[in-house]
Structures are given as C-alpha cells and as structure tokens.
Amino acid sequence: MFSNNEELSQDTVFDVLSSARRRETIAILREEDTPIELTTLAEIVAARENDTSVEELSSQDRKRVYVSLYQTHVPKMEDAGLVEYDQETSMVSLKARAAEIDQYLG
C-alpha cells in the first residue's frame, strides 16, 4: 500500500491502467461527486461494457463485473492509493491522488 506522499511509479500506473475495466471504473468515479456503492458501480461498468442500459443487464453480467471489481480491480486501485473502499458501507470513492494519472489518460 502506498502512503499519501509516496509518488506513484510509472510501472504502477501502467499496471493499474492496463485494464479497460479499471480505466472505466476511474472514469465513472470521476463523474460522481460523492462515493458510490460498489453494486451500483458494477452495474454502470457492466452496462458500459455491454453497450446497454443498467435496466437491460442480465443478473449474470452484473454478478460477473461485481465479483471482478470486488476481488481484483478495486483492491488493486486501493493498493495504489487511487481509490478508497469502505467495506462496512460498500462505498467506493476516488482519492485526490488519482489526478496523478491524468497525464496517462487520453
């Protein structure tokens, strides 16, 4: 885990951004003014990945994205210090240091 004053290495940034799902998650979190529930985040990611609306998603698509965010993607971004995840409330938010990766995003 990174401390707030530790600079993100280029390798860490590239590792985090190597996943389209993580890039999409960061984009969604940037659009939100407040923390977002992981379930809601997963639905939005799944809808965008499947080029459909949240209402049109299958339960399998919702679950697949939720599990991958919960087990892999959110922890990786949290370890890099880019997001904060509160397990008690299931809320995810973008941390201020996420601005450090803006130069790598198009």
Side-chain angles (χ1 to χ4, degrees):
M1 186 174 291
F2 288 84
S3 66
N4 286 336
N5 56 2
E6 185 177 345
E7 187 174 322
L8 286 170
S9 72
Q10 195 173 48
D11 287 342
T12 299
V13 172
F14 288 161
D15 183 40
V16 169
L17 296 179
S18 68
S19 166
R21 187 164 284 168
R22 286 192 291 269
R23 291 190 306 272
E24 191 66 48
T25 298
I26 290 169
I28 292 165
L29 291 172
R30 280 209 167 105
E31 295 167 9
E32 299 295 320
D33 292 333
T34 59
I36 184 172
E37 191 172 4
L38 184 58
T39 303
T40 304
L41 178 61
E43 289 175 339
I44 297 168
V45 170
R48 290 185 182 183
E49 286 181 358
N50 290 289
D51 197 28
T52 189
S53 68
V54 170
E55 296 77 25
E56 298 287 323
L57 285 172
S58 71
S59 61
Q60 184 178 10
D61 287 335
R62 292 171 201 262
K63 183 176 182 178
R64 179 180 47 81
V65 173
Y66 177 87
V67 169
S68 75
L69 287 178
Y70 179 78
Q71 292 181 346
T72 304
H73 301 297
V74 169
K76 183 177 277 287
M77 292 185 292
E78 189 173 36
D79 287 346
L82 300 174
V83 302
E84 184 173 342
Y85 176 62
D86 183 332
Q87 288 194 334
E88 287 185 23
T89 63
S90 293
M91 300 301 277
V92 183
S93 60
L94 202 59
K95 294 179 88 172
R97 82 171 309 162
E100 294 178 35
I101 65 171
D102 286 349
Q103 63 184 333
Y104 300 99
L105 298 171

